[in-house]
Amino acid sequence: MIWHIYKKELIDCLRDRKTIIFSVLIPILLNIGMLFFVDRMMSSNQPDGMSIAVEKGSDTSVVEWLKEDRNLQVVESEDPLQTVEKGKASVALKVDKKFSDKILHMQSPDVMIYTSPDSVESSHTTEYVTAILNKQRDGIIKERLTQLNINDQTIQPFYVKEQSLSNKDNSSLIMVAIYAPMIIAIGVLGGIVPSANDIFAGEKERKTMEALLMAPIKRLHLLIGKWFTISTFGVLSGVLSTISFVLFVRYFTVTLNDALNLNNHLIAFSTSLLVAITLFALLAGLILCIFSLLASSVKEAQSYTSQIVTVAILPCFLLMGKSVNELQSNVFLIPIYNVFALMKQLLYGVYDMQSLTYTIGSLSVCIIVLFTIGYTMFTKSRWVLGKG
């Protein structure tokens, strides 16, 4: 009987083109758009195409330092600040007109860098230019110490060096680990929300729930059939979002492609991720079923679900500053949060059976508890039939 109800509800939802568009196609398009944005943002952080405006007639030594770097484009103008405001350069530089003379007489002239704090490109160019000037400054200091017959180690008693734990650049992987769980979660929720709002609250609003309850079908079977229908769209949308994410990153991005190295553990990655997506869809579907039962109309249900979606992706932001090494076993006992933590582990190539077991166990317990609450509500005419 559950299968018949599930099949009927699934066919009814598939007949509605809006459900397919809003549940499957739009989440995928949004994900692709987000990936394109991330890739462009990562590409803009590359050293190519950086520009700096300097005042005409500035000290030639500083200008030559900048021109020696092939990644930096030097734009000479009468008003460097105005050049930046017009968008013809990322930052502006003003140098003391007596820079070389003061350096020669062991004085300290000023070099002013004007930057836009709200621009990523400007901030990155500022850091790049500062690194060039610091390198030249260290060279001048060493020359001065040599002239004074002083060992440079006298003022540099020790050196602080930074070494990454990884042998490769993880910047692209960090971006993938931030956005991939968010994209998958939005895909799952995007598949669930439209059908969840309509499958209970919509039937109450259309007054078709009474006729359905008069049929010789157990309410338990009705609830399970509707719940599975909602969750199916979530799983389908989540899987398609994952596939579109992997394919888009693999073939259409520049900086994110190297981060996804799934060739050696594709089966383990796919299986673990599918389990996580399925349980997340079942849990989210059940939560939205309960809120749809609480609502008397589709509009009221939409007001509930808009808040739930916001809360559901909150763990993604909480995990942004954490590495996979900092994820303790107990975090995988926290429902929903553990789904994002597990996804992050999988993207970093960490396959821990304990984490997967804890995630499955905690989500299963949560699903059982919520299903009990939902079934109790579904047996009450107050929630099933709505007001009046």
Side-chain angles (χ1 to χ4, degrees):
M1 183 58 69
I2 294 176
W3 166 250
H4 293 293
I5 298 170
Y6 170 74
K7 184 178 178 181
K8 175 214 176 264
E9 295 288 350
L10 201 61
I11 292 173
D12 289 342
C13 289
L14 290 174
R15 284 173 181 167
D16 186 3
R17 292 182 180 179
K18 292 182 180 179
T19 302
I20 299 175
I21 293 173
F22 285 99
S23 300
V24 180
L25 297 180
I26 287 184
I28 291 176
L29 293 176
L30 289 174
N31 295 339
I32 291 175
M34 187 181 296
L35 282 173
F36 181 75
F37 167 75
V38 173
D39 185 62
R40 288 292 299 272
M41 184 175 65
M42 290 289 293
S43 299
S44 66
N45 288 335
Q46 301 301 315
D48 298 331
M50 293 183 296
S51 57
I52 180 169
V54 297
E55 190 175 10
K56 285 185 177 180
S58 297
D59 188 274
T60 56
S61 58
V62 177
V63 176
E64 288 300 320
W65 293 343
L66 300 175
K67 287 184 176 181
E68 286 176 1
D69 195 293
R70 296 181 179 179
N71 297 318
L72 196 62
Q73 180 185 1
V74 179
V75 180
E76 297 188 48
S77 66
E78 297 292 342
D79 189 349
L81 295 180
Q82 190 175 10
T83 303
V84 174
E85 291 176 357
K86 291 181 179 179
K88 296 181 179 180
S90 302
V91 298
L93 185 76
K94 285 193 175 182
V95 186
D96 193 313
K97 294 185 180 298
K98 298 182 179 180
F99 182 88
S100 295
D101 185 60
K102 288 185 177 181
I103 291 292
L104 186 62
H105 292 84
M106 292 194 179
Q107 298 178 4
S108 301
D110 293 330
V111 178
M112 296 294 297
I113 302 177
Y114 297 90
T115 180
S116 301
D118 55 343
S119 170
V120 175
E121 183 178 354
S122 179
S123 299
H124 182 71
T125 305
T126 301
E127 293 178 5
Y128 197 83
V129 171
T130 302
I132 294 174
L133 296 176
N134 286 340
K135 184 179 179 180
Q136 296 294 335
R137 182 189 60 187
D138 293 341
I140 293 173
I141 291 174
K142 193 171 183 178
E143 288 179 5
R144 288 181 176 181
L145 293 174
T146 302
Q147 293 174 8
L148 297 172
N149 198 23
I150 299 175
N151 192 327
D152 59 345
Q153 293 182 354
T154 303
I155 61 171
Q156 191 72 270
F158 63 89
Y159 296 93
V160 178
K161 297 183 178 180
E162 183 178 342
Q163 178 65 46
S164 174
L165 293 173
S166 175
N167 295 326
K168 57 183 181 179
D169 182 17
N170 284 338
S171 58
S172 296
L173 182 57
I174 291 171
M175 296 303 294
V176 170
I178 289 175
Y179 284 95
M182 185 188 302
I183 286 171
I184 295 172
I186 291 175
V188 173
L189 295 172
I192 290 174
V193 169
S195 53
N197 289 337
D198 185 72
I199 209 161
F200 287 111
E203 290 206 19
K204 284 193 285 185
E205 189 175 12
R206 294 189 299 269
K207 304 297 182 182
T208 57
M209 185 65 78
E210 294 92 334
L212 185 61
L213 294 176
M214 292 177 63
I217 305 172
K218 293 182 179 180
R219 293 197 179 191
L220 177 63
H221 295 167
L222 278 173
L223 178 62
I224 294 176
K226 290 177 176 290
W227 172 38
F228 281 0
T229 300
I230 296 171
S231 302
T232 298
F233 280 103
V235 174
L236 179 63
S237 181
V239 170
L240 290 177
S241 295
T242 304
I243 294 173
S244 63
F245 169 79
V246 173
L247 293 178
F248 188 82
V249 168
R250 181 73 69 182
Y251 298 106
F252 298 99
T253 62
V254 178
T255 59
L256 303 180
N257 184 29
D258 295 335
L260 276 181
N261 185 17
L262 307 177
N263 297 328
N264 298 328
H265 42 76
L266 182 60
I267 296 177
F269 176 84
S270 303
T271 304
S272 302
L273 190 59
L274 181 61
V275 171
I277 289 174
T278 302
L279 289 173
F280 180 63
L282 288 170
L283 178 61
L286 195 53
I287 293 173
L288 292 178
C289 280
I290 292 174
F291 278 94
S292 188
L293 282 170
L294 288 171
S296 300
S297 63
V298 174
K299 185 177 181 180
E300 185 180 350
Q302 289 173 344
S303 64
Y304 294 151
T305 54
S306 62
Q307 306 302 322
I308 295 171
V309 171
T310 303
V311 174
I313 63 173
L314 182 61
C316 186
F317 297 98
L318 298 177
L319 282 166
M320 281 185 180
K322 287 186 176 291
S323 68
V324 290
N325 299 325
E326 296 174 333
L327 297 176
Q328 303 297 325
S329 300
N330 56 353
V331 304
F332 294 95
L333 295 173
I334 306 173
I336 299 179
Y337 185 89
N338 52 13
V339 175
F340 291 90
L342 182 64
M343 288 182 187
K344 188 162 189 173
Q345 275 193 343
L346 296 176
L347 290 167
Y348 273 88
V350 178
Y351 298 92
D352 184 10
M353 282 303 299
Q354 185 182 38
S355 302
L356 181 61
T357 303
Y358 280 6
T359 301
I360 294 173
S362 63
L363 290 178
S364 299
V365 171
C366 193
I367 288 172
I368 292 171
V369 173
L370 289 175
F371 181 81
T372 303
I373 296 173
Y375 177 67
T376 303
M377 293 177 63
F378 199 64
T379 57
K380 308 293 184 181
S381 298
R382 172 188 175 186
W383 304 115
V384 179
L385 301 178
K387 298 177 182 179

